[in-house]
Amino acid sequence: MVTLLLVLALVAAVAVLAGFVVGYNKLRTADVRADEALGGIDVQLTRRAALIPGLVHVVQSFATHEKAVLQHVADAQAALTAATAGKSVAQRTNAEHQFDTAVGQVLALGTTYPQLNSSANFLNLQQNLADTEDKLAFARQYYNDAAATVNRLRSTIPWMFVAGMAGVGEREFYQVPK
């Protein structure tokens, strides 16, 4: 009888340990996937920021007296680069909003300068920016899905008991800049 109780206690201990290991691995995998998804956003933000020097160069050749607009773009590009180096989703969103505003001002110059709007380089850069925006929207959605998975796991039984030990915190969602 004592042997049976010891065997049952051992089986229960092994089951609890196995549950802990499975939960830990599941949570860590979801957390790593969210980090990878956030990295995907950074790749697209960096790609978009890399297109801006060419856009600024094209605009400068047509609109030499628009220095304030071009400086605003340069400042926004620097802020976006700094934001992608950090961990804060809110900082990325704010920098992206500032960047969107600045790029919008540059693209609006196309209506002021018709010869700029007919430039092949300007049109090509606009197309590349539009393509990058599509990829960025997908990357945001992918990150938000990964963040939702982490948050759901953290708040459901039995994973919620392992989340603290696994070092998995709640993820904030990526909001589209307004």
Side-chain angles (χ1 to χ4, degrees):
M1 182 68 158
V2 173
T3 307
L4 179 62
L5 289 176
L6 286 176
V7 168
L8 287 176
L10 183 61
V11 167
V14 168
V16 167
L17 181 62
F20 174 80
V21 169
V22 168
Y24 182 90
N25 288 339
K26 188 172 187 134
L27 282 161
R28 292 301 306 151
T29 299
D31 198 44
V32 167
R33 188 168 293 131
D35 282 338
E36 289 171 356
L38 192 56
I41 292 173
D42 290 345
V43 166
Q44 295 309 319
L45 290 175
T46 302
R47 178 177 184 231
R48 186 169 64 169
L51 291 171
I52 298 309
L55 183 65
V56 167
H57 178 71
V58 169
V59 170
Q60 274 179 334
S61 64
F62 287 96
T64 55
H65 63 281
E66 300 288 351
K67 299 283 186 206
V69 172
L70 300 177
Q71 184 59 46
H72 186 229
V73 170
D75 294 343
Q77 182 182 13
L80 188 62
T81 301
T84 58
K87 288 282 188 189
S88 171
V89 172
Q91 184 181 10
R92 280 177 179 80
T93 302
N94 290 337
E96 189 178 352
H97 174 65
Q98 179 184 357
F99 188 79
D100 287 345
T101 302
V103 170
Q105 290 172 344
V106 171
L107 294 176
L109 291 176
T111 60
T112 307
Y113 299 93
Q115 70 276 22
L116 175 62
N117 221 12
S118 64
S119 166
N121 286 343
F122 186 73
L123 295 174
N124 184 33
L125 286 166
Q126 277 185 316
Q127 179 59 41
N128 283 336
L129 280 170
D131 181 49
T132 302
E133 285 300 321
D134 291 342
K135 291 177 180 178
L136 187 55
F138 176 78
R140 283 187 202 114
Q141 181 60 45
Y142 184 71
Y143 169 77
N144 282 341
D145 288 345
T149 298
V150 169
N151 293 344
R152 183 177 27 81
L153 287 173
R154 284 189 79 253
S155 63
T156 57
I157 295 175
W159 316 121
M160 64 190 302
F161 300 117
V162 181
M165 291 178 267
V168 176
E170 185 172 348
R171 291 289 185 146
E172 59 183 311
F173 289 101
Y174 202 98
Q175 303 296 322
V176 176
K178 295 177 175 132

